Amino acid sequence: MARDLETVLLRSFVTAVRAGSISRAATALGHSQPALSQQLRKLEGAVGHPLLHRSPSGVSPTRAGEELLPYAERILSLCAQALTKTGHALTGHCGVGLLEDLAASQLPQALADLARLHPGATLEVLTVSNAAMREAYDNGRVQLVLDAVPDIPAPPRWTVRRPLVWAVGQGVDVTVDPLPVVLFSNPCFWRTSVLESLEHAGRRWRVAFESNSLIGVLAAVRAGLGVAALMPANLEPGMARHDADALPVLPDVELGLARHPRTEGDPLIDAVETALRRMV
């Protein structure tokens, strides 16, 4: 008999990974924690592999979970779009400004799926500096900006909190003093909070490497230069994820979406905003 992946189970899994906690995911979905745990076990049974590492500090995806996550997100996104947009072909242009860390994960794929459903629409994604993003927003090149709340060019329509996790390259000793840290160059909205977390935990640290791009930070961690705070979707398979006592708990990241006021009522912009909100 063919195996099916139920969307309700996939939604439970994706929400648990995004929240980094079964209890937080249960609250977000309006389920009890035992009910959500049962759904996750059912999905693991269907897939045939454990999907989550469970610990007192939360949950993180296993290798099988990391492989399933992008498929689960696409299935849920396509399902939502098919239900809401069937029979309504959209046209026009929509520019989206994205935080680089989001542009490197599955969000562009959600936009690509939307573009395939509406071939008459043109979508553009920009990842640029804050000043350049504000200029693109002011002159109408981008209509939506999804970024850290302090960096978006207008008051947010909605916000969401996402966890950060420690990424550790092979061979890095997380107990060494001082701890070698790989950082995003200033200005970076979570650089200060990450360093404050280390200081509050009494951990001495040194800057081993810094870069103004995600590509540079990932390359440094991959090379074993130190530890870095990343969004879970940007962890690579060879990088360990540490939530244990050796490293302090990291703060959440607050993301927000700004929408240009002249686009109210535009069905294409509405559809793109819905896709972004469902994915993030």
Side-chain angles (χ1 to χ4, degrees):
M1 179 181 296
R3 294 182 299 170
D4 292 323
L5 295 177
E6 301 176 39
T7 55
V8 66
L9 304 183
L10 294 176
R11 184 169 290 105
S12 296
F13 167 65
V14 169
T15 305
V17 172
R18 289 174 180 168
S21 162
I22 291 179
S23 61
R24 288 197 295 266
T27 299
L29 293 169
H31 299 332
S32 68
Q33 188 168 334
L36 181 60
S37 296
Q38 184 177 15
Q39 290 180 340
L40 293 171
R41 286 194 295 270
K42 184 176 180 181
L43 179 61
E44 289 176 325
V47 173
H49 298 282
L51 298 174
L52 294 172
H53 293 299
R54 295 163 172 84
S55 72
S57 59
V59 296
S60 61
T62 62
R63 178 65 179 272
E66 291 173 349
E67 292 172 351
L68 177 63
L69 184 61
Y71 293 104
E73 290 177 325
R74 289 190 66 189
I75 290 169
L76 294 174
S77 177
L78 286 170
C79 180
Q81 293 167 22
L83 289 173
T84 57
K85 299 301 177 183
T86 298
H88 298 82
L90 302 176
T91 60
H93 172 273
C94 179
V96 182
L98 282 182
L99 174 71
E100 183 189 11
D101 302 71
L102 297 174
S105 60
Q106 276 67 53
L107 281 173
Q109 185 62 63
L111 299 180
D113 291 336
L114 184 66
R116 277 190 284 271
L117 286 173
H118 304 287
T122 302
L123 302 180
E124 179 183 14
V125 175
L126 292 183
T127 302
V128 294
S129 67
N130 292 341
M133 189 69 76
R134 178 171 291 278
E135 181 180 356
Y137 180 84
D138 290 341
N139 66 28
R141 183 178 178 182
V142 298
Q143 292 76 43
L144 300 168
V145 178
L146 181 58
D147 205 332
V149 169
D151 296 334
I152 58 177
R157 288 168 64 90
W158 47 265
T159 63
V160 63
R161 301 191 74 85
R162 297 292 304 274
L164 291 175
V165 295
W166 289 109
V168 183
Q170 292 185 357
V172 176
D173 181 2
V174 296
T175 65
V176 71
D177 184 24
L179 179 72
V181 182
V182 177
L183 296 171
F184 288 92
S185 304
N186 276 321
C188 171
F189 70 97
W190 71 59
R191 173 186 173 120
T192 300
S193 59
V194 167
L195 295 180
E196 287 177 349
S197 296
L198 288 168
E199 290 176 356
H200 290 162
R203 288 300 308 271
R204 297 201 313 147
W205 52 270
R206 64 178 180 84
V207 179
F209 184 91
E210 55 185 313
S211 173
N212 65 350
S213 74
L214 177 64
I215 292 175
V217 168
L218 288 174
V221 176
R222 199 183 302 127
L225 298 185
V227 303
L230 299 175
M231 289 185 174
N234 293 325
L235 283 179
E236 296 179 354
M239 296 177 185
R241 170 177 171 157
H242 281 263
D243 297 313
D245 294 338
L247 294 173
V249 175
L250 288 167
D252 289 342
V253 175
E254 186 176 25
L255 305 175
L257 182 129
R259 175 169 172 168
H260 204 288
R262 292 197 298 267
T263 67
E264 290 298 335
D266 185 311
L268 175 60
I269 311 302
D270 289 344
V272 176
E273 180 181 350
T274 298
L276 291 173
R277 187 162 190 165
R278 288 184 182 277
M279 285 300 296
V280 77

